[in-house]
Amino acid sequence: MTRFLYFAYGSNMLTERLLARCPSAKPLGHAEARGMTVSYSLGSSDGSAKAGLQKAPGKTARGVLFMIDLSERRALDLAEGAPDIYRRVEIEVFSDRTGHPSDAVTYLPNPERTANGLHPYAWYRALCAGGAKQHGLPDEVIAALRDGPVQKMPPPVRGKRAWRGRSLAHAALALAGMPIPPDEGLLP
């Protein structure tokens, strides 16, 4: 196998974001992971929450399927902080195009990395909602990713990872023709 199927449900749904990590990525359409849900549940080392896919009986998580060259899987692992922050796993997803199940790689948050009261930065919400919008996911999925509390940015001297992430997010959003969100202020 020279390529693998990848189920994106957070910021990697924005094609331009994923292409910066995996240049061969080709979107294949919508998919759903049954018995799962997406929430901003992962505590990130940049001081914010990131999207996480979790088991939730009776729920369905919506996302985007991509085909990626196997030679780029290590780069995706590194971008996702695997195996420390997220764990790479295979899950069953159902393509909207075919309705058939397929096994796809995705990343689940490590349970000990919970957000504990943190919220996503405005730029991270914009990446997630922008990807969902770009691929025509339902309005309720876009709204769930876009709306809600946001974390204030740390001052640049203390929050270099957050500011680097913000710069990369703004570049991907601009390439995709998506609006750049206003910052929600700085922490003291």
Side-chain angles (χ1 to χ4, degrees):
M1 177 169 117
T2 59
R3 296 174 67 74
F4 68 98
L5 198 58
Y6 169 58
F7 178 70
Y9 58 84
S11 66
N12 283 340
M13 287 191 292
L14 189 71
T15 301
E16 290 74 8
R17 165 88 157 182
L18 187 57
L19 285 172
R21 297 168 169 191
C22 300
S24 72
K26 303 268 186 285
L28 302 177
H30 307 174
E32 60 183 34
R34 297 175 184 166
M36 306 288 274
T37 191
V38 176
S39 66
Y40 292 112
S41 58
L42 176 81
S44 173
S45 58
D46 72 0
S48 72
K50 302 293 187 242
L53 187 65
Q54 292 133 348
K55 291 185 184 210
K59 303 272 186 173
T60 299
R62 306 283 305 178
V64 179
L65 280 178
F66 289 89
M67 189 63 73
I68 302 174
D69 288 348
L70 189 58
S71 64
E72 296 171 355
R73 189 167 69 185
R74 181 71 183 130
L76 189 56
D77 283 351
L78 289 171
E80 296 302 311
D84 300 321
I85 298 169
Y86 286 95
R87 299 174 290 123
R88 178 176 21 102
V89 298
E90 280 198 4
I91 63 168
E92 182 178 71
V93 296
F94 291 82
S95 165
D96 282 2
R97 199 179 301 166
T98 67
H100 295 109
S102 298
D103 288 335
V105 167
T106 198
Y107 293 83
L108 301 180
N110 276 327
E112 60 274 2
R113 300 285 305 214
T114 57
N116 291 329
L118 295 175
H119 302 291
Y121 293 126
W123 55 260
Y124 186 78
R125 276 192 181 278
L127 284 173
C128 297
K133 183 176 182 179
Q134 181 181 59
H135 292 285
L137 288 174
D139 289 343
E140 63 271 10
V141 173
I142 297 167
L145 294 168
R146 179 193 62 223
D147 301 338
V150 294
Q151 191 76 27
K152 289 185 176 188
M153 290 286 289
V157 248
R158 283 200 344 244
K160 290 181 182 168
R161 286 185 51 87
W163 285 89
R164 184 176 189 293
R166 177 184 176 271
S167 295
L168 294 172
H170 284 193
L173 289 164
L175 280 172
M178 298 284 173
I180 307 291
D183 287 327
E184 296 296 323
L186 294 177
L187 291 170

